[in-house]
């Protein structure tokens, strides 16, 4: 996930550069068309001013929204502005539906099929279950992954595996998530992860986390098992990043 966040940061930077290039191209086309017509220099200046105003509207997020998000996340105002710029460039409507989310994820993992894993991640971001992710939902989720405490990150991971949201993780749910990860990148890891190895991994982890052996993993069992596993705790520190 640390690598994924790094790719997200890089994607924002690339999109930001593309956005400025497109703006420059649009301005040149507008200036060229006005110079060949009957418009005066004053009209051209007005058009340029209007374009600059439009650019500021694209870049700038509502101040009251920023204040709230600064309080509710661990991002700075500047970081939120940068993320919103990239968010609006990719999703001009201000929301992301699941198909668009899957397309974005596919750019991160072009070698495999990330659609199912993207579906499960989408569900953790879509808090109100309306089939779309707002910028607020996106930033809140990213804040937990990038800057959250260990308990907050473990809570997010539990929610990811608890697919139906009933407060417990079944072996089928864990198998579905691990299978989605396998489809996304398992075949391209070194050494190659075979399908039976993924199933064996689920059996081993599930048995370890199901402390009372009742066939399901509760939130308490999940948290206790993760805290006792140094590999998991170490892996969670990889979420740390500076955007």
């Amino acid at each position: 996930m640390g690598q994924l966040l790094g790719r997200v940061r890089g994607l924002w930077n690339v999109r930001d550069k593309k956005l400025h290039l497109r703006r420059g191209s649009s301005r040149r086309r507008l200036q060229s068309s006005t110079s060949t017509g009957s418009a005066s220099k004053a009209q051209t200046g007005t058009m340029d001013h209007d374009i600059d105003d439009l650019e500021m509207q694209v870049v700038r997020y509502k101040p009251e929204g920023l204040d709230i998000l600064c309080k509710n996340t661990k991002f700075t105002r500047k970081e939120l502005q940068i993320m919103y710029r990239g968010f609006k460039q990719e999703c001009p409507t201000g929301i992301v539906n699941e198909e668009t989310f899957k397309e974005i994820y596919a750019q991160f993992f072009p070698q495999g099929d990330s659609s199912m894993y993207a579906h499960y991640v989408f569900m953790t971001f879509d808090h109100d279950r309306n089939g779309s992710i707002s910028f607020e939902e996106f930033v809140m989720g990213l804040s937990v992954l990038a800057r959250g405490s260990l308990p907050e990150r473990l809570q997010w991971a539990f929610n990811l595996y608890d697919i139906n949201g009933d407060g417990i993780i079944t072996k089928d749910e864990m198998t579905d998530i691990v299978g989605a990860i396998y489809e996304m990148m398992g075949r391209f890891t070194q050494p190659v992860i075979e399908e039976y190895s993924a199933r064996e991994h689920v059996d081993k982890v599930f048995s370890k986390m199901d402390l009372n052996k009742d066939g399901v993993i509760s939130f308490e069992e999940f948290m206790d098992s993760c805290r006792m596993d140094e590999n998991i705790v170490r892996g969670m520190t990889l979420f740390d990043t500076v955007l």
Side-chain angles (χ1 to χ4, degrees):
M1 183 60 71
Q3 294 177 344
L4 175 59
L5 290 173
R7 291 174 184 172
V8 171
R9 183 170 66 253
L11 186 59
W12 289 152
N13 292 337
V14 171
R15 288 174 185 154
D16 189 27
K17 293 177 182 177
K18 289 181 178 178
L19 181 59
H20 285 294
L21 287 174
R22 290 171 184 166
R23 289 171 182 160
S25 178
S26 298
R27 183 182 288 109
R28 287 192 295 272
R29 287 196 298 269
L30 283 170
Q31 291 173 338
S32 176
S33 62
T34 54
S35 64
T36 57
S38 59
S40 65
K41 292 183 179 180
Q43 290 174 317
T44 301
T46 301
M47 287 181 119
D48 285 341
H49 180 71
D50 291 340
I51 292 173
D52 290 338
D53 287 344
L54 178 59
E55 290 175 359
M56 291 303 296
Q57 292 172 12
V58 172
V59 172
R60 186 181 300 130
Y61 190 58
K62 295 180 181 179
E64 61 269 24
L66 275 180
D67 291 338
I68 294 174
L69 289 176
C70 282
K71 292 179 181 179
N72 294 335
T73 70
K74 298 180 181 181
F75 294 123
T76 66
R77 174 180 289 269
K78 181 62 176 178
E79 289 171 334
L80 289 169
Q81 289 173 331
I82 293 173
M83 286 189 286
Y84 185 69
R85 182 186 302 133
F87 189 89
K88 287 288 288 182
Q89 173 66 10
E90 185 66 31
C91 309
T93 61
I95 59 174
V96 182
N97 59 33
E98 185 170 339
E99 288 307 309
T100 301
F101 191 80
K102 288 179 178 179
E103 291 173 1
I104 295 172
Y105 239 87
Q107 297 178 47
F108 303 147
F109 302 97
Q111 308 95 327
D113 182 359
S114 62
S115 59
M116 282 308 301
Y117 187 73
H119 165 72
Y120 295 131
V121 174
F122 182 88
M123 291 173 62
T124 67
F125 277 75
D126 182 18
H127 299 296
D128 55 12
R129 294 292 188 268
N130 68 347
S132 62
I133 299 175
S134 66
F135 179 67
E136 288 80 1
E137 289 176 318
F138 173 76
V139 170
M140 292 290 288
L142 194 59
S143 176
V144 171
L145 292 177
R147 307 278 172 80
S149 64
L150 179 60
E152 288 173 333
R153 298 175 192 185
L154 292 177
Q155 173 73 70
W156 183 90
F158 181 85
N159 293 340
L160 175 68
Y161 280 88
D162 180 18
I163 296 174
N164 64 4
D166 63 355
I168 57 175
I169 299 173
T170 65
K171 182 176 285 189
D172 286 342
E173 287 176 320
M174 182 175 286
T175 300
D176 288 344
I177 296 296
V178 172
I181 295 173
Y182 166 76
E183 289 295 328
M184 179 174 64
M185 60 188 306
R187 292 188 176 92
F188 301 94
T189 58
Q190 295 295 330
V192 175
I193 301 175
E194 300 294 341
E195 188 171 355
Y196 71 86
S197 298
R199 288 197 299 268
E200 288 179 351
H201 178 72
V202 170
D203 290 340
K204 181 179 179 180
V205 172
F206 194 90
S207 177
K208 185 177 181 178
M209 288 189 167
D210 183 14
L211 301 178
N212 62 4
K213 307 304 178 186
D214 64 349
V216 297
I217 300 173
S218 67
F219 177 69
E220 291 75 17
E221 288 176 320
F222 182 84
M223 295 293 285
D224 290 342
S225 298
C226 290
R227 288 193 183 104
M228 293 185 296
D229 192 318
E230 292 183 1
N231 291 327
I232 294 178
V233 173
R234 190 180 305 113
M236 284 293 172
T237 63
L238 296 177
F239 287 126
D240 291 333
T241 183
V242 177
L243 294 178

